[in-house]
């Protein structure tokens, strides 16, 4: 009995910090789910106990599972044979194809509609979309994405119609997405020598879950970005862990960094944070990081907008996109404490946000009504922003709970386990072109089928069978957090692996300040999760795979041979051992 008591004490002591983290997560999950609804204290307590118990059981079960299933890491291997990349991509694309056809010619998000309108000669939209009058384009959504999508639609229009042009864009994007996730699967398969079963499960994850074919059918800046981002994290991992680098490897990483920054604005901040992280985690790699990342940061973040914007007559995006996170908290203060707003504070707020309608425009779940409302200054001066910052700080000091409630309401979707991915259908472009081009519209003969397809996808994602796999918090919170905790607990998350995961983990802060997180409120929340949804296998591999001695000496097997052994056990039995 004495041994058992001591054993229990040691177990609890060893897991104390993880229990604290899981308790905090359970509180956050329950609070996020309870936002906007009335719940009794006993009910909330019961939900907390149930949530905490579930998290602890999952943590213990995963820890036990990974301890019983070791894999082998081969640090300097490359990404796998082209044959297997194409094979896996073909399987994924074939599984997506029926849904792509049913959703013909594709899903036109409002952002994409506006970008295509601009490409085909329509003036940029008013408000936050264009702050420079007379511009031909707006960089509110990255101009490089506008040109990529516009050119592909234009090429496809040569087939006979704008619908065919958009479908051509959808098929090109779907093919690139399938190849990209296939390359990632091959990379982690080879590096960690995943079993055949693990490979098939991962392929099925991408091929069968409804989120992936829907986003493949939805050209938007986030899907273009994710194609670049996945290739970036692969090359980043290769460069950061290779003992000997070839100039071509560095050049590829420079190019990918350049396009990662241009295809989505957060790419610039992720690249900069990766540089900082490398300095903290591995100073020996600092020079390599400077050579690989800094030129692209300067070229895409400074030189490109300075040179290209005037040449193409591009209006820069609004500063309000970066400030919306703070505006939302101010709007809640104005709504809940109007009597405490001084005349000076009101003047500073009104100069940017139109004070008179601010409280009415406030929606706890989404920033857009506050950010883009009538009378909002979309290009505030530095003086206005400085005056507003003083007001924000003063109000934060007076009522910090107000700011906490505003942030939690806005970002609750990333922690609310009742959330499920949702899809939607549209019949025409969300923004109609004033000159009539491109005239993308869903044909009447397929509208009913498209509607039924979306309804079926939503039913599947809310079903008990695969519902949990379709919950955004699984990818935005549980996998990163469990990966870190279990990786530390099992000593598998080495400094080198953490270095490889920097692009994913440094993306999290930008998710937490997103303008919306509730997928039931706005589908934009779906798009914001893509860097974590698509890279989930990568995160799991680098945090939880067994750490072993590197076996890739000069006489080791080739990358292609190891991949063949992984997907064909018979080949492995008939070949000699690598050790």
């Amino acid at each position: 009995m004495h041994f058992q008591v001591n054993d229990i004490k040691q177990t609890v002591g060893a897991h104390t910090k993880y229990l604290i983290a899981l308790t905090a997560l359970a509180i956050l999950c329950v609070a996020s789910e309870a936002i906007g609804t009335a719940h009794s204290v006993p009910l909330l307590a019961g939900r907390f106990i149930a949530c905490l118990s579930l998290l602890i059981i999952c943590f213990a079960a995963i820890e036990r599972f990974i301890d019983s299933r070791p894999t082998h890491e081969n640090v300097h291997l490359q990404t796998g044979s082209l044959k297997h990349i194409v094979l896996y991509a073909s399987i994924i694309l074939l599984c997506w194809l029926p849904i792509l056809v049913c959703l013909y010619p594709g899903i036109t998000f409002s952002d994409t509609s506006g970008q295509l309108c601009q490409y085909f000669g329509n003036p940029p939209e008013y408000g936050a979309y264009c702050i420079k009058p007379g511009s031909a384009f707006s960089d509110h959504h990255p101009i490089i994405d506008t040109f990529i999508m516009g050119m592909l639609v234009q090429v496809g229009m040569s087939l006979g119609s704008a619908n065919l042009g958009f479908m051509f864009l959808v098929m090109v994007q779907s093919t690139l997405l399938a190849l990209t996730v296939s390359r990632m699967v091959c990379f982690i398969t080879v590096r960690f020598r995943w079993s055949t079963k693990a490979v098939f499960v991962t392929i099925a994850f991408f091929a069968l879950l409804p989120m992936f074919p829907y986003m493949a059918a939805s050209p938007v800046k986030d899907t273009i970005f994710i194609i670049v981002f996945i290739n970036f994290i692969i090359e980043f991992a290769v460069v950061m862990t290779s003992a000997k680098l070839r100039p071509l490897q560095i050049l590829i990483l420079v190019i990918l960094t350049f396009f990662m920054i241009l295809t989505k604005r957060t790419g610039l901040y992720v690249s900069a944070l990766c540089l900082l992280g490398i300095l903290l985690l591995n100073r020996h790699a600092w020079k390599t990081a400077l050579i690989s990342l800094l030129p692209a940061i300067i070229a895409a973040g400074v030189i490109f907008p300075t040179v290209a914007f005037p040449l193409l007559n591009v209006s820069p995006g609004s500063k309000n996109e970066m400030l919306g996170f703070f505006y939302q908290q101010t709007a809640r203060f104005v709504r809940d404490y109007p009597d405490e707003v001084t005349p000076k504070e009101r003047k500073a707020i009104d100069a940017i946000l139109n004070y008179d309608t601010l409280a009415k425009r406030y929606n706890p779940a989404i920033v857009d009504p506050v950010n883009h409302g009538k009378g909002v200054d979309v290009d505030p001066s530095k003086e206005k922003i400085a005056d507003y910052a003083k007001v924000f700080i003063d109000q934060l000091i007076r009522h910090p709970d107000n700011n906490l409630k505003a942030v939690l309401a806005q970002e609750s979707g990333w922690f609310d386990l009742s959330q499920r991915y949702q899809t939607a259908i549209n019949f025409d472009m969300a923004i109609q072109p004033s000159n009539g081009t491109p005239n993308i519209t869903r044909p009447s003969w397929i509208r009913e089928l498209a509607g039924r397809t979306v309804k079926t996808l939503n039913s599947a994602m809310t079903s008990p069978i695969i519902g949990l796999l379709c919950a955004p918090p699984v990818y935005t919170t549980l996998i990163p957090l469990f990966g870190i905790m279990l990786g530390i607990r099992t000593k598998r998350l080495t400094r080198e692996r953490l270095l490889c995961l920097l692009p994913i983990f440094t993306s999290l802060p930008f998710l937490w300040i997103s303008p919306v997180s509730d997928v039931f409120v706005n589908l934009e929340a779906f798009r914001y999760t893509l860097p974590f949804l698509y890279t989930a296998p990568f995160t799991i591999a680098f945090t939880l795979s067994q750490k072993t001695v590197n076996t890739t000496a000069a006489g080791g097997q080739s990358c292609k041979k190891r991949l063949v052994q992984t997907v064909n056990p018979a080949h492995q039995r008939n070949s000699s051992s690598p050790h």
Side-chain angles (χ1 to χ4, degrees):
M1 174 64 77
H2 183 264
F3 172 77
Q4 290 179 341
V5 171
N6 285 340
D7 193 41
I8 293 171
K9 286 182 178 179
Q10 290 177 0
T11 302
V12 172
H15 286 82
T16 298
K17 55 188 175 184
Y18 305 109
L19 288 172
I20 293 172
L22 293 175
T23 301
L25 178 59
I27 293 172
L28 198 54
C29 291
V30 173
S32 298
E33 187 179 352
I35 284 176
T37 55
H39 294 284
S40 64
V41 173
L43 179 60
L44 288 176
R47 288 191 174 186
F48 166 74
I49 293 171
C51 183
L52 179 58
S53 301
L54 180 62
L55 291 175
I56 291 174
I57 291 171
C58 289
F59 185 89
I62 296 171
E63 181 181 16
R64 186 180 182 88
F65 176 78
I66 60 177
D67 280 340
S68 66
R69 299 184 67 85
T71 57
H72 305 279
E73 180 176 12
N74 295 283
V75 176
H76 301 304
L77 292 175
Q78 300 301 311
T79 57
S81 71
L82 179 61
K83 179 178 71 175
H84 287 96
I85 293 174
V86 173
L87 173 63
Y88 295 160
S90 300
I91 294 171
I92 293 169
L93 197 57
L94 283 173
C95 291
W96 290 354
L97 194 57
I99 295 176
L100 299 180
V101 172
C102 290
L103 295 178
Y104 173 86
I107 305 297
T108 53
F109 277 90
S110 59
D111 294 353
T112 305
S113 298
Q115 289 175 275
L116 290 176
C117 285
Q118 291 178 40
Y119 181 84
F120 286 95
N122 300 276
E125 294 300 305
Y126 60 87
Y129 293 93
C130 184
I131 64 175
K132 182 182 174 184
S135 300
F137 301 96
S138 169
D139 194 52
H140 176 74
H141 304 298
I143 188 64
I144 191 72
D145 295 333
T146 299
F147 273 81
I148 290 172
M149 290 189 289
M151 286 189 292
L152 287 172
V153 169
Q154 192 170 35
V155 170
M157 285 172 67
S158 63
L159 300 174
S161 70
N163 280 352
L164 291 174
F166 195 74
M167 190 63 184
F168 178 73
L169 169 60
V170 167
M171 293 309 300
V172 170
Q173 172 178 278
S174 300
T175 302
L176 291 176
L177 278 170
L179 285 168
T180 299
V181 297
S182 175
R183 181 174 184 241
M184 180 179 66
V185 172
C186 287
F187 175 71
I188 56 182
T189 296
V190 171
R191 178 157 185 157
F192 298 105
R193 293 179 66 185
W194 274 13
S195 66
T196 304
K197 185 182 295 184
V199 175
F200 288 163
V201 167
T202 309
I203 294 299
F205 170 75
F206 287 111
L208 302 179
L209 286 186
M211 301 90 74
F212 297 106
Y214 180 80
M215 287 313 302
S218 309
V220 69
K221 64 183 178 185
D222 304 85
T223 47
I224 296 175
F225 171 78
I226 203 64
I227 292 170
V228 180
F229 183 70
I230 293 173
N231 283 286
F232 170 82
I233 64 172
I234 293 171
E235 294 302 327
F236 183 84
V238 170
V239 169
M240 290 300 112
T241 58
S242 294
K244 292 182 180 180
L245 285 171
R246 299 191 304 271
L248 180 60
Q249 290 176 309
I250 294 178
L251 178 61
I252 291 173
L253 185 57
V254 169
I255 293 171
L256 287 170
T257 307
F258 179 78
F259 281 101
M260 183 177 72
I261 294 170
L262 290 184
T263 51
K264 197 171 181 182
R265 204 160 281 114
T266 54
L268 175 62
Y269 310 122
V270 168
S271 302
L273 287 176
C274 284
L275 268 178
L276 179 60
I278 292 166
L279 177 62
L280 297 174
L281 293 173
N282 187 352
R283 295 188 179 182
H284 298 294
W286 180 239
K287 290 183 180 179
T288 302
L290 280 177
I291 296 171
S292 304
L293 301 180
L294 191 59
I297 291 174
I298 295 173
V302 180
I303 297 175
F304 181 83
T306 302
V307 175
F309 283 14
L311 288 176
L312 299 173
N313 193 16
V314 178
S315 169
S318 172
K319 301 182 184 77
N320 287 0
E321 294 305 301
M322 296 183 291
L323 298 171
F325 178 75
F326 306 101
Y327 291 167
Q328 186 81 338
Q329 298 168 54
T330 300
R332 189 181 183 102
F333 189 100
V334 171
R335 187 197 70 173
D336 293 350
Y337 304 100
D339 296 336
E340 295 188 25
V341 180
T342 67
K344 185 177 180 180
E345 289 176 341
R346 175 171 180 151
K347 182 179 179 181
I349 295 170
D350 186 61
I352 300 177
L353 295 175
N354 186 8
Y355 185 92
D356 291 337
T357 63
L358 185 58
K360 294 180 180 178
R361 298 200 317 268
Y362 174 69
N363 181 334
I366 185 169
V367 172
D368 286 359
V370 168
N371 234 12
H372 299 157
K374 186 177 180 180
V376 173
D377 187 348
V378 298
D379 188 28
S381 64
K382 292 181 180 179
E383 292 76 17
K384 288 183 179 181
I385 294 175
D387 291 340
Y388 166 75
K390 294 175 184 177
V391 172
F392 178 85
I393 293 171
D394 288 342
Q395 293 179 344
L396 173 62
I397 293 172
R398 298 207 305 264
H399 290 286
D401 59 313
N402 168 79
N403 298 72
L404 180 61
K405 290 175 182 177
V407 172
L408 188 58
Q410 181 182 330
E411 309 300 341
S412 60
W414 310 137
F415 310 99
D416 181 358
L417 293 174
S418 68
Q419 289 272 311
R420 294 294 182 268
Y421 281 112
Q422 291 291 288
T423 62
I425 194 72
N426 55 353
F427 294 141
D428 300 293
M429 292 178 66
I431 299 174
Q432 290 296 318
S434 57
N435 65 7
T437 305
N439 182 26
I440 300 170
T441 182
R442 199 173 307 282
S444 57
W445 54 267
I446 204 170
R447 291 188 177 190
E448 184 179 350
L449 177 60
R452 288 203 306 267
T453 300
V454 165
K455 187 176 180 179
T456 302
L457 293 179
N458 287 337
S459 297
M461 290 189 287
T462 55
S463 68
I465 300 175
I466 65 169
L468 188 60
L469 289 175
C470 302
V474 169
Y475 307 100
T476 61
T477 303
L478 295 186
I479 287 178
L481 183 60
F482 273 44
I484 291 172
M485 291 195 301
L486 286 166
I488 293 172
R489 169 69 185 155
T490 58
K491 298 182 180 180
R492 298 185 180 188
L493 184 58
T494 61
R495 183 172 296 188
E496 184 179 68
R497 291 190 184 190
L498 186 58
L499 197 68
C500 296
L501 290 167
L502 274 178
I504 298 171
F505 289 158
T506 55
S507 298
L508 281 169
F510 306 104
L511 176 78
W512 296 333
I513 60 172
S514 299
V516 63
S517 64
D518 191 327
V519 293
F520 295 113
V521 172
N522 193 300
L523 275 183
E524 285 190 11
F526 189 153
R527 292 158 36 192
Y528 298 148
T529 69
L530 298 190
F532 313 99
L533 172 64
Y534 278 85
T535 61
F538 190 95
T539 303
I540 292 170
F542 273 83
T543 54
L544 302 182
S545 291
Q546 176 68 46
K547 179 166 63 72
T548 61
V549 178
N550 177 35
T551 59
T552 56
Q557 291 175 305
S558 69
C559 166
K560 180 177 179 180
K561 189 172 183 180
R562 289 197 182 277
L563 184 59
V564 170
Q565 289 180 349
T566 301
V567 298
N568 186 359
H571 182 280
Q572 186 172 10
R573 289 192 297 268
N574 296 331
S575 60
S576 59
S577 172
H579 301 291

